[in-house]
Every structure is written in C-alpha cells, then in structure tokens.
Amino acid sequence: MSSKTERIGIIGSGLIGRSWAMLFASVGYQVSLYDIEKSQIDTALTDIQHQLKTLESEGLLRGKLNAEQQIACIKGSTSLEETVKDAILVQECVPENLDLKKKVWSGIDAVVGPKTILSSSTSTFIPSLFSKDLKNRENIIVSHPVNPPYYVPLVEVVPAPWTKPDVAKKTRAIMEEIGQSPVSLSREIEGFALNRIQYAILNETWNLVADGVLDVKDVDKVMSDGLGMRYAFLGTLETTHLNAEGFVNYCDRYSNTMYAVSKTLKPLAKFEGPLVKEIAKQLEEAVPLDKLQERRNWRDLCLTKLSQLKKPME
C-alpha cells in the first residue's frame, strides 16, 4: 500500500488531534497538523512518532503502512491557510469552548475551499451552534470520536440542519476507510447518542452510591464484569433479542417489569455536593491521582487487545 495524495487538515495538536493524525496517516492520507505555537506542534509530532514506533514494536500498529511511512505522512504547520488548502476534510479538535469554536470555524471558513468537508470533534455542542453564520455551512458535520480515538473505533457523524446529505455520506465513508466504526445520526440532538446513553448510566450509578446500595468499586463491577462484557460485542437491543426468543418475546416477557422498575428511578441529580468528594475518595484509593497516566496506559492496552480480539470474530 502506498501513500495517498489527498490532504487532511487537523486543527489542534492536543491528544485528540494527534489521534486523528495517526488514524488518517494509517491509510496514507497527507496530514497537516495545525496549531498556533510551533513548540506545541513539535511536541505533538515527537509524541506521534514515539507512539507509532511503540505500536509497531508491539504489533499493534493500525493500517498497512509501516511506522516510518505513517510518520512521513504527518507534517506540522502554524499557517491555517496552508493547513486547509486543498484538503478533502478538515478535522477541528480545539477545546470545548463555544466562543473559541466559533472563532476557529470563522477563521477556517475564510480560507477554506467550497468542497472541503468541515468536521468537528466536539462532544458537547450541536453543529448548528457554531456553524449557522458560515458561508460554507452546508459542508459542516460533527465527527465525534470516543476517547481515546486510536483505540476505540466509534465515531458519531452528526449533521447540522443545513448540512448537505452527501457530506454526511462522504464523512462516514472516510471514517470507515481509516478503520473507525461510524454511526450516522439523522439529525442533531443534544448529547448525540453516546453521551445520552452514558449519562443515563452515570445518573443511576450516582443514585445507587448516594442511597448506599453499592459502593464505588462494586457499582463499577456491574459494568466491567457484567453489562460491559456483553456490550463489548453486542448492543443493548441485540442483547435483548438474544436473551429471549427474539425482541418481541423479550418485550412480552419483561416489559411490565422494566416499566415497574423504571418508575422507581429517581429524578435527575446534579453531580455536586459532598457525594462528589466521597466518590472521588473511593476512586483515588484504587487509582491515586499520580497513577492516572499509568492506569490510562493499561486501559489503552486493554482496548487494543479487545479490538484485536473482536476483528476476526466479526
């Protein structure tokens, strides 16, 4: 496999931007990684080079190009115009601040071509909030990755009300090409899909701890040693399909029970007050703050091994 000639522009050289750069380079796209400070770019490129070589040495490198070939596909730039020029897709990865995103997209909009896909990594903002005044707003899309994107393949593809349908289709195709697993939302909705589901789970775990039903360690086991083991391979709906003689039978058996239990769920609580400190205390007993990076590294390795396990079973 050889490198491509098509260009990808990445705006922001933090952890998410670096992961995107590695993913696009894995299939040979020519990647321009933009940041306002050259020192930030140099740090990012050094880290990317280290990550790719480490992944290769451990047999975990994605794509068919070797590490040196992938490294050669990624260049840094402090010129926004140079980064987005002739790019087929621009992936914005700046911090989750709406005013900042509006400013960045306004700057991109001023220099980008009319055919470039304008993709945001935002996990917080629906795309209409930062794109309504752009002259190229019909090319806007959200491609929301899951952290860490190199190890977790899901990408939520979310259009604004004015996004051209072919932009969403092309974005999904590019995500599939680089080895990600896109899901296409038909319209924008607060929280997209992943966070809406994630927050529902977090809200109930909070209540179970608040009511003294389970401590932090055991409530996390419910996911890591229970539901999570299923959901690593099956979605929630397919799980119900298999747990009975199909989904209709599942509903016949369990709809009354589900409804009765769901009526006992508490109103939404804000994650604030004394319980925040108590949950943090229990978490830090297991993983002290100075050990977070070590635990993240362990998490990433587990996710990589899981991905390798799933691939031949699909």
Side-chain angles (χ1 to χ4, degrees):
M1 179 179 180
S2 59
S3 298
K4 297 173 175 288
T5 58
E6 295 97 333
R7 301 181 68 252
I8 301 288
I10 296 179
I11 312 302
S13 64
L15 296 178
I16 300 298
R18 297 174 198 182
S19 290
W20 277 121
M22 292 162 60
L23 288 167
F24 286 115
S26 72
V27 297
Y29 280 112
Q30 301 304 301
V31 178
S32 180
L33 183 62
Y34 168 84
D35 219 311
I36 56 176
E37 296 287 342
K38 185 176 183 302
S39 60
Q40 293 175 296
I41 296 170
D42 291 341
T43 298
L45 293 177
T46 299
D47 180 51
I48 288 170
Q49 181 174 339
H50 172 73
Q51 286 194 63
L52 291 175
K53 288 186 174 180
T54 299
L55 288 163
E56 183 175 55
S57 69
E58 295 175 351
L60 302 175
L61 187 68
R62 291 175 61 167
K64 295 182 179 179
L65 299 176
N66 63 39
E68 286 295 342
Q69 290 172 315
Q70 294 186 29
I71 291 167
C73 290
I74 305 171
K75 302 291 190 296
S77 177
T78 56
S79 168
L80 184 61
E81 185 171 5
E82 176 186 280
T83 297
V84 305
K85 183 180 180 182
D86 299 325
I88 64 167
L89 181 146
V90 170
Q91 187 71 36
E92 169 266 306
C93 310
V94 303
E96 294 291 89
N97 176 292
L98 184 56
D99 288 338
L100 175 61
K101 286 193 183 289
K102 286 181 177 179
K103 180 181 178 180
V104 168
W105 277 115
S106 178
I108 295 170
D109 194 43
V111 295
V112 76
K115 296 182 179 180
T116 300
I117 295 171
L118 307 179
S119 178
S120 175
S121 301
T122 183
S123 62
T124 306
F125 304 116
I126 55 176
S128 60
L129 290 178
F130 53 82
S131 67
K132 64 185 179 69
D133 296 325
L134 302 181
K135 70 174 185 287
N136 291 296
R137 69 180 194 171
E138 64 183 9
N139 295 329
I140 201 75
I141 197 81
V142 165
S143 301
H144 171 227
V146 183
N147 192 33
Y150 194 85
Y151 305 100
V152 182
L154 184 74
V155 177
E156 296 180 289
V157 179
V158 187
W162 37 77
T163 303
K164 292 187 298 186
D166 69 311
V167 167
K169 291 178 182 178
K170 288 177 182 177
T171 303
R172 181 182 179 114
I174 291 171
M175 294 301 148
E176 290 173 340
E177 181 189 9
I178 66 175
Q180 298 302 87
S181 180
V183 294
S184 298
L185 277 68
S186 63
R187 58 184 173 86
E188 63 179 21
I189 182 173
E190 288 78 1
F192 312 145
L194 184 141
N195 278 331
R196 293 178 77 89
I197 294 170
Q198 178 173 239
Y199 294 160
I201 294 169
L202 278 170
N203 285 329
E204 186 53 24
T205 58
W206 171 275
N207 289 332
L208 289 169
V209 175
D211 291 345
V213 177
L214 289 170
D215 62 15
V216 168
K217 183 178 179 180
D218 279 359
V219 82
D220 271 359
K221 278 186 183 178
V222 173
M223 184 59 68
S224 63
D225 292 344
L227 292 175
M229 295 190 74
R230 289 177 179 171
Y231 293 164
F233 296 90
L234 303 172
T236 52
L237 293 177
E238 188 179 357
T239 294
T240 65
H241 189 57
L242 299 184
N243 280 356
E245 301 308 311
F247 185 67
V248 171
N249 182 251
Y250 184 92
C251 293
D252 289 341
R253 290 187 190 182
Y254 301 116
S255 62
N256 289 336
T257 299
M258 289 169 59
Y259 184 71
V261 172
S262 296
K263 286 198 298 183
T264 71
L265 298 178
K266 289 188 166 185
L268 295 179
K270 291 189 73 175
F271 279 39
E272 59 187 19
L275 188 58
V276 172
K277 292 185 177 180
E278 176 55 32
I279 290 175
K281 176 176 174 289
Q282 292 185 46
L283 287 169
E284 289 167 28
E285 287 172 357
V287 184
L289 295 181
D290 62 355
K291 298 291 185 182
L292 286 176
Q293 188 56 50
E294 182 179 318
R295 187 66 168 172
R296 292 186 191 111
N297 294 340
W298 173 84
R299 173 203 65 189
D300 293 351
L301 179 61
C302 290
L303 290 170
T304 302
K305 295 292 188 181
L306 177 61
S307 179
Q308 289 178 317
L309 175 63
K310 288 182 66 174
K311 192 168 290 293
M313 300 179 70
E314 291 175 350

